[in-house]
Amino acid sequence: MYLTDFSTITGIEEEGGKGNVPPGFVIGASFYRDYYPPPPQFAFTDDAKLDYQCAEMRACIKGHEPKADLAPQVLEMINHLRLTGRFAVRSSSTFEDLASAAFAGQHETYLNVPAPEIWDKVRLCFASLWQKHAVLYRNHHGFDQSETSMAVVVQQMIDPDVAGVAFSVDPVGGNLSHILIEANYGLGESIVGGETVTDSWIVDKNSWNIVEKRINRKEKKTISGSLNGIQYIPIDPDLQERPCLNDEQVVMVAQAVRTIEQRFGSPAESAERFPEPLTPLTWSYVEEAFGISLEFSLRMMGVSLPARPWFALIDSYVYGNQNAVELLAQFRPLDMSSLKRLEEQVPEMQARFQWIVDLPQRWLRDLDVYLLNIGRLNSADFRR
């Protein structure tokens, strides 16, 4: 049985790692394993050949006609579940959203798909297994390419007034007792794609107080297109500077996120630090520069902690090492057990933290050298 509705739980090997939110159904990963060819031995040391192999594999998948035609069964399932309207067709790799690898954004998702076109989009989801960045990501994490498979989740589309994402820990502030919520009007694609400005809230897990809110001017939103796909449209001027969720709704979302975290026993998809994809060159620079800077700062503070790795690159997005943040947060440079003990440490504090007073002067002193070097870099001819 290759098609199952969401009332049947078959596990990650068949459903993949996507969360299944009804109404909808899953085309199981066993269909891909049974009817599509295995990948070649990828040439990871030859970039041009790897490009060719990945493109050839995608073309093979798109052109392959499996002996078992699921297209009629897909339409039968839609009728059986009494689903109407348009659908989201979502890739769900069997390696996806594991504890050791997120695979966020590696594979394709199609929105606002009419029922007769679902099967075409399913085939494109299968083909997206062999996007070069997905192949490289699996190789980097030690996954066997020959064991790669894909389920596809088909869900009835809704037209929400507001959608967003929530993190069960604050990924920016590193506070494990805070929940971060970001939202905008319309479909959630505008938030996860980083295409629009959002409103954001930080909620305390213990008191359910909203400890911080940022309400921004939101000028556009994503909606289902008139035919297929999605489109961006302007937001009504009267709504642009209003919060897209009221305080009661924010707390309701936060409580749901807390319940999910407790159900799974750990924070979900936490510590996404950078909002936009990074190129490999940018990441190489940022990773090294941050490591050097942090190591220098920790030495000046007298802190002995391993400074690397503080971040990991996943699908061109940077994720923070939450354990390292928590360890650093536990460091206390002073004994603050009593006022008397604190007074006794004042001379030591003055000597130990003199660098804080000196640092602005050092920056000013070195600024000319920095600007001169920037000028030399700008005048360099990189075409040779």
Side-chain angles (χ1 to χ4, degrees):
M1 185 66 179
Y2 295 120
L3 288 137
T4 56
D5 63 38
F6 291 162
S7 65
T8 303
I9 300 175
T10 57
I12 194 169
E13 289 186 357
E14 183 66 6
E15 295 178 352
K18 284 286 199 304
N20 299 334
V21 180
F25 57 94
V26 179
I27 300 170
S30 57
F31 179 81
Y32 183 91
R33 287 191 291 266
D34 289 349
Y35 288 101
Y36 285 87
Q41 291 291 326
F42 288 111
F44 291 106
T45 58
D46 186 334
D47 195 61
K49 185 175 181 180
L50 180 61
D51 272 333
Y52 173 79
Q53 289 177 314
C54 291
E56 188 177 54
M57 193 65 190
R58 292 194 302 274
C60 174
I61 298 298
K62 292 175 186 177
H64 184 74
E65 293 291 345
K67 294 179 181 179
D69 185 3
L70 276 194
Q73 296 180 46
V74 166
L75 295 178
E76 288 174 11
M77 179 65 84
I78 289 172
N79 292 330
H80 172 71
L81 296 175
R82 298 181 181 179
L83 304 178
T84 59
R86 301 297 181 95
F87 297 85
V89 181
R90 308 173 62 209
S91 300
S92 187
S93 165
T94 53
F95 291 150
E96 196 155 344
D97 292 341
L98 303 175
S100 60
F103 279 88
Q106 296 282 0
H107 309 117
E108 296 296 340
T109 288
Y110 299 92
L111 302 179
N112 197 34
V113 179
E117 297 180 18
I118 288 176
W119 183 245
D120 290 335
K121 297 299 186 286
V122 170
R123 289 154 61 106
L124 293 176
C125 287
F126 286 156
S128 71
L129 269 175
W130 308 108
Q131 302 272 24
K132 182 182 176 184
H133 54 75
V135 171
L136 287 170
Y137 185 75
R138 287 193 294 269
N139 183 64
H140 175 72
H141 284 273
F143 294 121
D144 188 340
Q145 305 287 342
S146 65
E147 294 181 1
T148 300
S149 189
M150 172 77 76
V152 178
V153 179
V154 179
Q155 296 166 302
Q156 186 171 342
M157 286 281 295
I158 60 173
D159 289 314
D161 296 323
V162 178
V165 295
F167 300 89
S168 61
V169 300
D170 176 8
V172 178
N175 193 325
L176 300 182
S177 66
H178 286 171
I179 291 170
L180 173 65
I181 298 168
E182 295 191 5
N184 187 24
Y185 297 107
L187 295 172
E189 183 69 13
S190 65
I191 296 96
V192 298
E195 298 290 337
T196 60
V197 174
T198 64
D199 293 337
S200 65
W201 299 262
I202 294 178
V203 183
D204 186 273
K205 287 181 184 177
N206 301 310
S207 67
W208 301 118
N209 290 329
I210 299 173
V211 298
E212 184 178 329
K213 64 173 70 175
R214 299 188 187 95
I215 309 305
N216 294 302
R217 182 178 180 85
K218 304 165 290 295
E219 297 183 348
K220 60 181 180 178
K221 64 180 179 179
T222 311
I223 64 169
S224 296
S226 56
L227 295 175
N228 293 351
I230 57 174
Q231 65 184 37
Y232 291 97
I233 64 169
I235 294 173
D236 187 315
D238 292 339
L239 298 176
Q240 289 183 359
E241 296 186 8
R242 293 184 186 178
C244 59
L245 294 173
N246 61 41
D247 288 359
E248 182 180 0
Q249 292 169 324
V250 168
V251 172
M252 288 176 61
V253 172
Q255 290 173 337
V257 170
R258 175 64 166 167
T259 300
I260 294 169
E261 181 188 66
Q262 290 173 335
R263 174 73 179 272
F264 286 93
S266 63
E269 293 266 60
S270 65
E272 185 173 339
R273 301 285 172 154
F274 288 69
E276 298 296 337
L278 298 180
T279 66
L281 177 61
T282 301
W283 170 241
S284 296
Y285 170 77
V286 169
E287 182 179 37
E288 183 65 19
F290 182 87
I292 293 171
S293 175
L294 183 58
E295 289 162 2
F296 179 77
S297 298
L298 292 178
R299 283 197 305 271
M300 296 183 78
M301 292 188 292
V303 179
S304 178
L305 279 178
R308 305 187 192 193
W310 280 76
F311 296 101
L313 193 67
I314 301 174
D315 185 28
S316 297
Y317 286 84
V318 182
Y319 288 76
N321 183 340
Q322 196 65 39
N323 289 333
V325 173
E326 190 74 2
L327 282 172
L328 184 57
Q330 293 174 3
F331 174 75
R332 297 292 183 271
L334 301 171
D335 180 357
M336 303 179 69
S337 57
S338 68
L339 180 59
K340 182 177 184 300
R341 181 70 187 109
L342 194 59
E343 289 175 344
E344 291 172 351
Q345 296 174 92
V346 169
E348 178 188 347
M349 290 166 54
Q350 290 175 329
R352 185 175 180 183
F353 296 106
Q354 180 62 35
W355 63 270
I356 297 177
V357 178
D358 297 339
L359 193 58
Q361 297 300 320
R362 292 180 58 182
W363 283 344
L364 287 175
R365 185 188 66 213
D366 295 339
L367 180 60
D368 288 344
V369 175
Y370 170 77
L371 293 176
L372 286 171
N373 286 330
I374 289 293
R376 293 191 187 99
L377 181 63
N378 288 336
S379 63
D381 185 358
F382 293 102
R383 293 171 297 178
R384 293 180 294 176

